[in-house]
Amino acid sequence: MSYQFLTFVVADRIATITVNRPDKLNALNDATIAELGVAIDEAIARDDVGGVVLTGAGRAFVAGADITELADQTPLDAVRRARAGQLIFRRYETSPKPTIAVINGFALGGGCELAMACHVRIASELAKLGQPEVKLGIVPGYGGTQRLPRLIGRGAALRLLLTGEIISASEAFRLGLVDQVVAADALVDTATGVMRAMLANAPLALAGCIEAVNRGASLDIEEGCRVESDQFGTLSSTADMREGMQAFLEKRTPSFVGH
Ligand code: COA
């Protein structure tokens, strides 16, 4: 697959997707969003990919939706744009392979929303995050009003949404918006290490955790636990469960095959 606004590199079972419009701080025009959809589908489909690292080229992760495209949108354009982006971001959230947002710089508006759609967020200490849409007279359109309160709670989310304030990586960590903050020069190695730790585990178990967490998010505890026990049961039919337990009992490292 070839991309105009992204790079897609696979090494050691990790697909690194890099939004690559550094002169525009990786602002998401419609074409870049569409390519993000193709890229996650490619990563999910490829047997040589176990997980996805998503980052930005240059000094930004993603500085938001491309305001030059939003500036003259009609209401209908705006609804279609938001819906298309929401569905693509959701594919990062529901990917059966883990997705890590590696936040190297600005993650604003659609950039913060894209990071929130990933399973884990690791930020450089230089990163800045926020949902400044109200300053443009709009609300977030790519899931920000829904994911931010789920991630950091209603009060903190509304503070960020209503002020449009741009916060530091350390404040984002304090709020739970990012999971880890590291020195800029340690960012890639840290993210690679976290992904490698995930990929050492059974792929179907990773997918099962992601699915149970995602489905459980809209269920009550009773129904959510049923989803979990179903996953628990299904995984007990896999070769990887037998291998994982056998390896433990034999005091060796398991070798998982993905079925
Ligand atoms: N859409 C379109 N272009 C954007 C953009 C966006 N969201 N964010 C940055 N850019 C462009 C700038 O217009 C500029 O392009 P130019 O060189 O052709 O003029 C280039 O990226 C560099 O940005 P600049 O503003 O000069 O950098 P800065 O360091 O002074 O400021 C930000 C950085 C992130 C604070 C500032 O770019 C900004 O506020 N961006 C918009 C953030 C936002 O509101 N996002 C939500 C959108 S819904």
Side-chain angles (χ1 to χ4, degrees):
M1 208 69 73
S2 73
Y3 298 93
Q4 187 180 354
F5 299 116
L6 308 176
T7 61
F8 185 108
V9 176
V10 177
D12 217 4
R13 302 194 62 234
I14 302 173
T16 299
I17 300 171
T18 305
V19 184
N20 192 26
R21 297 182 76 203
D23 53 326
K24 297 294 176 193
L25 301 185
N26 304 322
L28 297 176
N29 56 8
D30 293 343
T32 305
I33 298 224
E35 288 193 357
L36 282 167
V38 175
I40 188 66
D41 289 350
E42 178 177 352
I44 292 169
R46 281 175 63 153
D47 290 338
D48 61 342
V49 171
V52 173
V53 159
L54 176 63
T55 193
R59 65 191 176 96
F61 174 71
V62 164
D66 190 325
I67 297 167
T68 60
E69 286 189 346
L70 304 188
D72 59 358
Q73 64 188 359
T74 66
L76 196 55
D77 291 339
V79 171
R80 284 189 180 134
R81 173 168 286 130
R83 200 66 196 130
Q86 286 169 355
L87 292 173
I88 286 169
F89 285 19
R90 179 76 174 147
R91 304 217 295 265
Y92 284 76
E93 188 164 54
T94 58
S95 159
K97 299 178 180 178
T99 55
I100 300 180
V102 176
I103 307 172
N104 51 304
F106 292 111
L108 304 177
C112 190
E113 292 171 292
L114 182 58
M116 287 193 287
C118 292
H119 300 138
V120 171
R121 283 150 294 286
I122 302 176
S124 152
E125 62 193 356
L126 303 178
K128 303 261 184 236
L129 297 93
Q131 297 288 163
E133 285 88 345
V134 286
K135 294 179 187 295
L136 300 168
I138 52 175
V139 298
Y142 296 141
T145 61
Q146 302 307 302
R147 290 197 179 92
L148 193 58
R150 284 168 166 80
L151 208 50
I152 69 173
R154 178 185 158 93
L158 279 167
R159 172 169 77 85
L160 292 186
L161 290 165
L162 299 180
T163 61
E165 186 189 346
I166 293 174
I167 60 172
S168 65
S170 60
E171 172 71 353
F173 178 70
R174 193 186 68 76
L175 292 172
L177 178 52
V178 300
D179 305 298
Q180 195 173 353
V181 180
V182 297
D185 60 5
L187 184 62
V188 171
D189 283 352
T190 302
T192 304
V194 172
M195 183 57 85
R196 283 207 179 114
M198 294 176 179
L199 298 188
N201 301 317
L204 290 176
L206 299 180
C209 288
I210 293 167
E211 187 174 346
V213 168
N214 278 335
R215 288 178 56 195
S218 57
L219 298 174
D220 64 27
I221 186 78
E222 187 63 37
E223 289 302 312
C225 284
R226 282 186 188 281
V227 170
E228 183 183 89
S229 52
D230 287 350
Q231 290 284 352
F232 197 74
T234 303
L235 287 164
S236 297
S237 70
T238 63
D240 278 350
M241 186 205 81
R242 289 191 296 281
E243 166 64 7
M245 297 200 184
Q246 199 62 37
F248 175 82
L249 295 172
E250 293 170 5
K251 301 187 188 308
R252 60 174 172 80
T253 305
S255 177
F256 293 120
V257 290
H259 57 81

